[in-house]
Amino acid sequence: MQEHLKTNILNFKWPSSTPTIFLSLEETEGSHPIHWSKFSKHIKEAFPDTDISGLEHIYTTFTQEIPNAPSTKIDLTNGKELRIYKQFLKHQLKTYFLDKGYIVVKNFVRDVQVWMPSKKGNTADYNLYYKFSFKIQFATLTDLPELVVSYDGNSKVLTKSVQDIEETEYIKRCVYGQKTFNYQMNLDTEDKQEFHNSIDFNQAFPIFNLQLARALNIPIEEPNRPKNKYQKYIALISKFAEKYLFTEEFKALFPFKEDAFIDVPGNRINHINPNLGLLEFGKDQYGNKRTHLVPKKAMNILNPYRRPNNQNIKIFFICHTSHKDSVLSFYQNLKEGVNTAKNYYKGLEAYVNIKATASKEHFIEFTNENDPIPEIVEKLESLTFDHDNIKYAAFYISPFDKFTPHPDDREIYIHIKELFLNEGIVTQVVDYEKMIVNIQDQYNFQFSLQNMALAIHAKLGGAPWKLAVTDKKELVIGVGAFTNQGENRRYIASAFSFQNNGLFRNFEYFNQNETELLAGSILKAIRDFTSVSQADKVVIHFYKEMSYEELKPIIDGMNKLKLGVPLYILNINKTEAEDMIAYDVNWGDKLMPVSGTYIRIGLNKFLLFNNARYPNDRFYSDTDGYPFPIKIKISSPDDDAFEDVEVIEALLTQVYQFSRLYWKSLRQQNVPITIKYPEMVAQIAPRFNNGVPDDAKDALWFL
């Protein structure tokens, strides 16, 4: 079936006459700052007697006349003035919805976001709001201005005010009037202090978060996640546009070409050959290669590509005394399989081709669930391990889930992971409550066991599968990040892989500002690779746009190595690109485009769809999920890097391939492991007390 892709973009017309704006050197009530980067020739000419070049800002009231102040017409062919026009349109959006009485804020990329109150889903404890954002862009997919309408999820605003809450340490953002603010803000400027002092906490209402909800005994409902995000997303933005945007009042501000979201132009769409995502598994009894597109299907009929080097594997458990009786049932299911008519998991050996036995002498139980570390350390010191001959894996049965409100409880599994990693032992955490539910539901339990078996196989040094297409010799370096909200600090990590097999190599991790150390680790990977093989190109997958400060030492280092090969940087948005999406109206009500579809949304900017929907819909089922696309921007410091037009598709194919090498879950990922794995390292490793042992930096213990 021929696909028909639509977007969440509305076209509106260019103004019929050149807009005029009014300017001032002084900030006045209702004025807006124009940053010096937008000072065009026309702007400067509006102040003939003043040199504004050294000013940080001038000010505008846009279309409201200022007595005895200059004005200028906006040249919509001038890039700087077009940015002012965009600022004006954002101001119109904000003013329009504020005048209607809605909450209006800036989202994390500083676009206008409107909160619409819901008529359903409200409780005595909170009111529900749906959040919609607007992004303004010019001639990106078409030759007209474009209004991107996106759904940003929902927020629950508590009905209890800040004034009535004692557990204020759990309060994060609050709604106050028609705006939001961070309750925990640092009052490091006079403006922040003035704003904070003006707040009436009887009228400030916290936004729901799990820790606060648990502290206030607010019932926590299981998230109502739709099976298909596309359906909910498209339904909501369509209804929102129909009710609030396709009105005569709104169209006086944004005159739409038509009251409908636009199609993706056909010349912007292309597809990666799905066979380039083919994966290689273990050989058959005759030594023939076995390949498959879908790991979920393949692992039921094929062996993993490579076993762990050590064939002597022992498993033991760490648990609270009250939970030890349940551990036996869990172990039996892990080792022998599940008892259900449709059995897709027949035990650890059958599923991942490794033999493992229980090591009863290493079983560890503790009595203090809030502080188990001292007991575990004491027990661990009395045990002996035969690391020369045996590889150990420990299962920690956690009394707490990852949403527990107490930070110390959340950190316990991190300390246990570090403790055993220092002993050369990999760990797998299991949520006790979830484990009990799963044991009682054997059919669904098998899918959790499949993922655990997969992760343990990789943690022990095995390779469940690899890329089957390995005809290039390119060094691929991934850099991901994780922001610790408690510390308000971002950590970054780098993971290395060769494209000719797609297998993980090693990693390092740093603070966000340690750019020299990051550059040094990247250069070391380049030296290590090029010392044994000739590289065709060096590719860096980065979690954001690389700054000049981050890129310069890498370029200098490559020049010193005299490699003479191109360097490409791919900024890969690790969060799903929900600001701009596309959907296939020809795939019934499922809407998700075929995997490998990519759409050019700007100069070397693309949306890439990574999912499990292949042509003719073979292999697909609802359990595979409906991930949104990722956004990719490709750049290079080399002048001739894009002379070969095929290089773009090759780089996008590489991202597509690396998204198929995730070994923590059988579900197809939309983000490549070059971003996903470093993020996981950056989330865990900086919280270790003594860092990651050097001999663990080439292992997948963090899965």
Side-chain angles (χ1 to χ4, degrees), residues 566-568 604 635-644:
L567 169 65
Y568 294 93
N604 291 340
S635 61
S636 174
D638 304 309
D639 294 335
D640 58 352
F642 298 106
E643 286 187 356
D644 181 356

Side-chain angles (χ1 to χ4, degrees), residues 105-303:
V105 301
K106 292 178 181 177
N107 65 13
F108 73 101
V109 291
R110 305 190 67 78
D111 288 326
V112 175
Q113 184 184 82
V114 180
W115 292 29
M116 310 303 293
S118 173
K119 294 180 180 178
K120 299 179 180 179
N122 300 317
T123 71
D125 296 303
Y126 56 75
N127 293 313
L128 186 68
Y129 290 81
Y130 289 102
K131 300 181 293 189
F132 298 90
S133 287
F134 299 97
K135 182 182 182 67
I136 296 167
Q137 54 194 31
F138 302 109
T140 299
L141 283 187
T142 65
D143 57 359
L144 290 173
E146 299 162 2
L147 185 65
V148 184
V149 183
S150 58
Y151 169 60
D152 289 350
N154 60 52
S155 282
K156 300 169 182 174
V157 180
L158 301 195
T159 54
K160 182 178 287 189
S161 72
V162 171
Q163 186 71 39
D164 297 328
I165 295 175
E166 295 183 5
E167 297 85 352
T168 56
E169 67 270 26
Y170 299 124
I171 297 175
K172 295 178 182 177
R173 294 203 69 81
C174 299
V175 168
Y176 185 56
Q178 290 177 262
K179 64 179 70 172
T180 64
F181 70 94
N182 180 7
Y183 181 81
Q184 306 293 345
M185 74 173 83
N186 291 322
L187 303 179
D188 52 358
T189 66
E190 189 174 326
D191 287 345
K192 288 181 180 179
Q193 291 173 1
E194 185 177 336
F195 170 75
H196 195 269
N197 291 335
S198 71
I199 296 172
D200 178 359
F201 287 122
N202 273 313
Q203 300 300 318
F205 299 93
I207 297 171
F208 180 100
N209 67 69
L210 282 172
Q211 288 86 355
L212 179 60
R214 289 186 172 178
L216 297 178
N217 294 317
I218 296 174
I220 298 173
E221 301 174 355
E222 280 291 320
N224 185 20
R225 296 188 179 95
K227 285 184 178 180
N228 187 334
K229 291 174 59 178
Y230 285 83
Q231 292 174 342
K232 180 177 181 179
Y233 188 101
I234 302 308
L236 284 170
I237 63 169
S238 298
K239 185 177 180 180
F240 175 70
E242 203 61 52
K243 186 173 182 178
Y244 298 100
L245 307 185
F246 299 155
T247 66
E248 295 307 313
E249 186 180 5
F250 189 82
K251 290 194 291 185
L253 303 176
F254 291 84
F256 297 128
K257 182 180 178 182
E258 58 179 320
D259 294 354
F261 291 110
I262 67 171
D263 291 346
V264 180
N267 64 347
R268 298 296 190 102
I269 305 170
N270 211 329
H271 302 86
I272 294 168
N273 182 344
N275 287 328
L276 295 177
L278 201 63
L279 302 170
E280 183 177 341
F281 294 81
K283 294 180 179 179
D284 65 16
Q285 58 182 325
Y286 305 107
N288 299 315
K289 288 184 179 180
R290 304 294 299 276
T291 60
H292 206 287
L293 277 174
V294 184
K296 184 179 72 172
K297 302 288 186 182
M299 289 295 290
N300 289 326
I301 56 176
L302 304 178
N303 283 330

Side-chain angles (χ1 to χ4, degrees), residues 416-703:
I416 288 175
K417 189 174 285 289
E418 179 184 12
L419 180 65
F420 283 87
L421 193 61
N422 288 332
E423 292 288 332
I425 299 170
V426 297
T427 52
Q428 176 74 34
V429 64
V430 180
D431 177 350
Y432 173 74
E433 295 294 341
K434 188 179 290 186
M435 181 184 79
I436 294 300
V437 171
N438 280 334
I439 289 173
Q440 295 169 351
D441 180 1
Q442 289 275 292
Y443 177 77
N444 285 315
F445 190 23
Q446 64 184 322
F447 304 117
S448 295
L449 290 170
Q450 285 180 336
N451 289 335
M452 285 187 205
L454 180 71
I456 281 292
H457 185 278
K459 289 177 182 181
L460 291 169
W465 58 80
K466 75 174 189 70
L467 293 174
V469 181
T470 58
D471 59 336
K472 297 181 180 178
K473 296 185 181 299
E474 300 168 346
L475 174 61
V476 185
I477 301 167
V479 182
F482 173 78
T483 300
N484 186 312
Q485 300 292 347
E487 298 179 11
N488 194 26
R489 180 185 296 179
R490 176 174 285 172
Y491 295 97
I492 56 179
S494 53
F496 307 121
S497 180
F498 302 139
Q499 192 197 5
N500 62 349
N501 58 20
L503 300 182
F504 171 84
R505 304 298 294 185
N506 53 41
F507 67 84
E508 295 287 348
Y509 63 95
F510 317 95
N511 281 323
Q512 184 178 13
N513 58 356
E514 294 177 329
T515 54
E516 292 291 335
L517 292 177
L518 173 63
S521 73
I522 290 173
L523 288 171
K524 182 179 184 301
I526 295 172
R527 282 195 304 270
D528 290 348
F529 180 75
T530 55
S531 66
V532 296
S533 180
Q534 176 64 38
D536 298 325
K537 63 172 72 76
V538 175
V539 184
I540 300 176
H541 292 174
F542 215 76
Y543 70 98
K544 67 176 183 64
E545 289 193 43
M546 284 191 89
S547 67
Y548 176 75
E549 290 76 16
E550 291 163 329
L551 188 56
K552 185 178 184 303
I554 298 170
I555 296 172
D556 292 344
M558 288 183 65
N559 289 337
K560 289 178 182 177
L561 290 173
K562 298 180 180 180
L563 293 184
V565 298
L567 169 65
Y568 294 93
I569 297 100
L570 277 66
N571 162 221
I572 301 174
N573 190 333
K574 69 180 181 64
T575 57
E576 294 183 332
E578 298 186 9
D579 59 336
M580 187 186 298
I581 67 163
Y583 50 101
D584 183 2
V585 297
N586 277 354
W587 198 36
D589 62 353
K590 295 185 177 181
L591 302 173
M592 183 176 67
V594 170
S595 186
T597 301
Y598 62 94
I599 300 169
R600 179 168 57 86
I601 58 172
L603 180 61
N604 291 340
K605 293 181 180 178
F606 303 87
L607 289 184
L608 173 63
F609 292 83
N610 268 338
N611 55 60
R613 181 194 170 195
Y614 296 100
N616 302 320
D617 304 333
R618 55 182 175 152
F619 308 127
Y620 190 79
S621 70
D622 282 340
T623 58
D624 293 315
Y626 295 83
F628 276 15
I630 56 175
K631 189 181 293 183
I632 302 172
K633 179 181 179 181
I634 304 174
S635 61
S636 174
D638 304 309
D639 294 335
D640 58 352
F642 298 106
E643 286 187 356
D644 181 356
V645 294
E646 294 181 355
V647 73
I648 294 288
E649 182 165 358
L651 292 169
L652 292 173
T653 299
Q654 190 182 80
V655 174
Y656 176 79
Q657 291 174 320
F658 274 77
S659 70
R660 277 145 180 73
L661 297 171
Y662 187 64
W663 294 337
K664 185 172 181 169
S665 167
L666 289 167
R667 176 173 283 198
Q668 173 61 49
Q669 303 297 301
N670 64 340
V671 178
I673 59 168
T674 43
I675 298 294
K676 197 90 170 180
Y677 281 1
E679 179 189 3
M680 295 165 73
V681 172
Q683 182 176 2
I684 299 173
R687 292 152 68 188
F688 284 178
N689 292 322
N690 299 305
V692 178
D694 287 340
D695 60 2
K697 290 183 178 179
D698 60 354
L700 295 172
W701 53 265
F702 50 83
L703 291 180

